[in-house]
Amino acid sequence: MTKGNVTAGRLIAVALLLSSPTGIMLLALVGTGHLERWPAFGTWLTVIVLLIPLVRAHLGELAGLANWIRALAHGGEPVSQPGRGEVVLTEIATAVGALRRLWQQKSTELAESARWNSSLLDNLPDPLLLLDSTRKVVRANRAAIRLFGRELAGCDMVAFLRDPVVLEAVDAVLGGGISNRDCEFSQPVPLDRSFIARIDRLDGQPAAEAAVAILTLHDLTTVKRMERMRADFVANASHELRTPLAALSGFIETLQGPARDDEEAREKFLGIMADQAGRMSRLVADLLSLSRIELNEHTQPSEKVDLARLVTNAAEALKPLAQARGMEIIATISADLPQVIGQPDELTQLFQNLLDNAVKYGRDHRPVEVHAAGIETLPATAGAALRAGPALRVAIRDHGEGIPHEHLPRLTERFYRVDTARSRKMGGTGLGLAIVKHIVNRHRGLLTIESRVGEGSTFTVWLPAAPK
Ligand SMILES: Nc1ncnc2c1ncn2[C@@H]1O[C@H](COP(=O)(O)OP(=O)(O)OP(=O)(O)O)[C@@H](O)[C@H]1O
Ligand SMILES: [Mg+2]
């Protein structure tokens, strides 16, 4: 049992206090003449002497109990509970022990809940910051640290987010004038990104240096890019349609006016008008097929397609165009080329578009080569569907002028052309590769483009093979 130190002075003081009723009683007996003074004094002293060991033991127990509670308060783990001799002390010690167990359980729960809250914040996809009344960061989640590329806790917000609109909004909320505010801002480095920031004042009276406001950032870059792409698409489509339309109107006017009776000019103009009308109808057809493919992009096709036959037929269809340029289409298709699950019309359109480009942008009298085979290894960019099982590849190679490297990432954007004038002159709509990309996506495949300026280009389509 833990015993505390009991001083002699304290011991005597308590013994005197405890003996005081006896002393008063003895005094009364002396006063009334029932007892002599000295025997009474002797009796009182005897009582005090008898009390001393009892008081010492009791005070020792109490001091031990105090020490034990103090040790508990400091988080120590004392060996055993004091006060086993005394019922009251035992009860106090048992109650304190129970209180401690409850407190330990509560603090475990509190730590668990703090850990849970912290992991909740860290797992939020949007950056989030808790700010104190001086705009200092009390807590930043993982997404925020990733966004700003540094540790943020303890920093003034201005050290990493200097946008004046956001700072003004934060100050307005911290100042207490308003409870929340939204604002948009862009972060130009390292990548140009747009965000919407929302600042909310937290409820309740905060302790010093505690969070008083929460700042959340939501990335709008993709939404903005989609908005811009949609606007660009409408502008591009209108422009592409307006050009042949303007030519048609011009020729109609000429034919109605100055060239009315000019037989030769009429023949020539009607030929050009037929070309322009053809271009317009190709454009409308391409736009329609693009939107149809896009609409179905999320539903996987279900037909089993014999790709060997389909590729051979596509090559056959392009033969006349190739021959006109003195080119040959050489198709090497492996005998055991697996089948694919797909939509035959879309796959035909895919290979025709690629072969059409190879013939259009290839070099006169040089061949276009088509290689189709099952494969063992996939490019690093292949998705899960391709990796899930056997796959195959169809590569279409030309020996044309090639495509400068910087254009490659944008080639599959709608209306994107390396040489706009040349593509238009050849009757191109600039939608061929956009259609290819969407068809490949719908078939859970991959399109890769390799090109060397002056040597030619290879467009490769990777597709998952159909189960046998
Ligand atoms: N094999 C290739 N060699 C060189 N450049 C190519 C090749 N394939 C495509 N390109 C470039 O990519 C651009 C986009 O091709 P895309 O097929 O989308 O449009 P297009 O051929 O101009 O028109 P169309 O809609 O008739 O196919 C082309 O304008 C061309 O500049
Ligand atoms: Mg094309």
Side-chain angles (χ1 to χ4, degrees):
M1 184 185 297
T2 322
K3 295 265 181 189
N5 291 331
V6 183
T7 60
R10 187 144 184 252
L11 196 63
I12 292 167
V14 175
L16 280 173
L17 192 70
L18 288 177
S19 69
S20 56
T22 314
I24 292 165
M25 211 174 72
L26 290 170
L27 262 180
L29 289 174
V30 173
T32 54
H34 286 89
L35 199 63
E36 285 298 315
R37 197 181 296 163
W38 284 110
F41 183 63
T43 311
W44 184 53
L45 271 185
T46 312
V47 169
I48 289 175
V49 169
L50 288 175
L51 273 174
I52 280 177
L54 285 176
V55 169
R56 182 191 281 133
H58 192 73
L59 284 184
E61 294 260 8
L62 271 180
L65 184 65
N67 283 344
W68 182 69
I69 293 174
R70 222 171 281 129
L72 289 186
H74 285 96
E77 194 60 59
V79 211
S80 62
Q81 181 181 315
R84 295 234 181 267
E86 299 251 358
V87 178
V88 179
L89 290 187
T90 308
E91 276 179 12
I92 292 176
T94 310
V96 170
L99 200 66
R100 178 179 183 247
R101 275 193 299 282
L102 188 73
W103 171 77
Q104 270 178 334
Q105 187 191 336
K106 289 280 169 216
S107 57
T108 311
E109 280 172 18
L110 214 64
E112 199 53 47
S113 136
R115 226 186 345 265
W116 192 78
N117 284 339
S118 172
S119 109
L120 195 75
L121 287 187
D122 278 336
N123 284 301
L124 285 177
D126 284 342
L128 180 147
L129 302 161
L130 294 172
L131 304 172
D132 75 0
S133 54
T134 63
R135 222 169 48 189
K136 220 191 280 164
V137 178
V138 176
R139 169 91 164 83
N141 73 348
R142 225 180 278 150
I145 295 169
R146 214 178 305 126
L147 172 65
F148 296 107
R150 51 176 289 184
E151 189 48 63
L152 305 171
C155 300
D156 187 318
M157 219 188 90
V158 79
F160 55 88
L161 210 170
R162 287 192 194 88
D163 190 280
V165 181
V166 184
L167 291 178
E168 196 211 305
V170 168
D171 288 343
V173 172
L174 290 179
I178 46 170
S179 60
N180 62 61
R181 183 173 290 177
D182 289 343
C183 59
E184 278 187 27
F185 74 100
S186 338
Q187 180 92 342
V189 254
L191 290 169
D192 192 9
R193 291 167 81 178
S194 309
F195 291 91
I196 182 159
R198 185 180 166 91
I199 305 106
D200 284 277
R201 217 185 145 74
L202 297 170
D203 292 334
Q205 196 56 252
E209 291 182 31
V212 292
I214 181 164
L215 170 68
T216 38
L217 305 176
H218 182 64
D219 196 340
L220 292 180
T221 317
T222 316
V223 177
K224 292 255 173 202
R225 195 166 45 219
M226 300 291 277
E227 269 173 21
R228 207 164 40 236
M229 272 171 68
R230 202 171 306 132
D232 285 355
F233 174 67
V234 173
N236 282 331
S238 325
H239 177 73
E240 293 292 333
L241 281 169
R242 213 176 319 120
T243 316
L245 201 60
L248 277 175
S249 313
F251 286 122
I252 290 170
E253 262 176 42
T254 317
L255 286 175
Q256 283 172 333
R260 184 190 290 266
D261 301 316
D262 184 341
E263 182 87 15
E264 199 184 324
R266 197 166 57 217
E267 280 310 306
K268 191 176 147 205
F269 292 166
L270 282 173
I272 303 174
M273 286 167 76
D275 280 353
Q276 296 297 332
R279 191 170 148 208
M280 281 177 79
S281 76
R282 262 199 314 279
L283 184 65
V284 172
D286 277 357
L287 283 172
L288 284 176
S289 74
L290 193 59
S291 84
R292 198 186 48 243
I293 297 160
E294 250 189 318
L295 210 65
N296 292 332
E297 200 167 316
H298 300 289
T299 56
Q300 236 174 319
S302 52
E303 270 177 71
K304 232 178 191 179
V305 180
D306 178 357
L307 207 62
R309 230 183 64 208
L310 191 140
V311 173
T312 313
N313 289 346
E316 263 325 296
L318 263 296
K319 243 182 193 157
L321 205 67
Q323 271 164 1
R325 298 193 58 194
M327 289 172 167
E328 200 186 343
I329 301 179
I330 305 168
T332 317
I333 297 169
S334 95
D336 55 357
L337 183 75
Q339 294 194 316
V340 295
I341 301 291
Q343 210 292 318
D345 291 342
E346 287 184 9
L347 289 171
T348 301
Q349 193 175 10
L350 185 166
F351 292 110
Q352 274 182 357
N353 283 3
L354 290 180
L355 283 164
D356 178 63
N357 281 351
V359 172
K360 264 200 312 200
Y361 305 109
R363 212 180 297 267
D364 286 356
H365 309 292
R366 296 293 307 275
V368 165
E369 290 134 5
V370 182
H371 280 271
I375 42 142
E376 297 293 322
T377 47
L378 285 160
T381 44
L386 261 180
R387 298 195 175 279
L392 58 92
R393 126 186 127 185
V394 182
I396 293 163
R397 178 170 179 215
D398 66 62
H399 297 274
E401 283 168 23
I403 307 159
H405 189 253
E406 65 273 19
H407 293 285
L408 294 183
R410 299 197 57 192
L411 275 193
T412 54
E413 285 177 21
R414 293 150 195 215
F415 301 115
Y416 190 85
R417 292 139 160 151
V418 177
D419 181 343
T420 308
R422 185 173 168 206
S423 158
R424 287 226 181 96
K425 211 171 90 204
M426 288 175 156
T429 62
L431 291 172
L433 287 179
I435 293 174
V436 165
K437 190 185 131 198
H438 282 288
I439 296 176
V440 169
N441 283 353
R442 187 176 176 216
H443 287 76
R444 311 293 187 259
L446 176 73
L447 172 73
T448 55
I449 310 171
E450 288 161 86
S451 192
R452 273 172 186 264
V453 176
E455 289 183 23
S457 315
T458 307
F459 286 72
T460 310
V461 176
W462 311 76
L463 293 169
K468 284 208 175 119

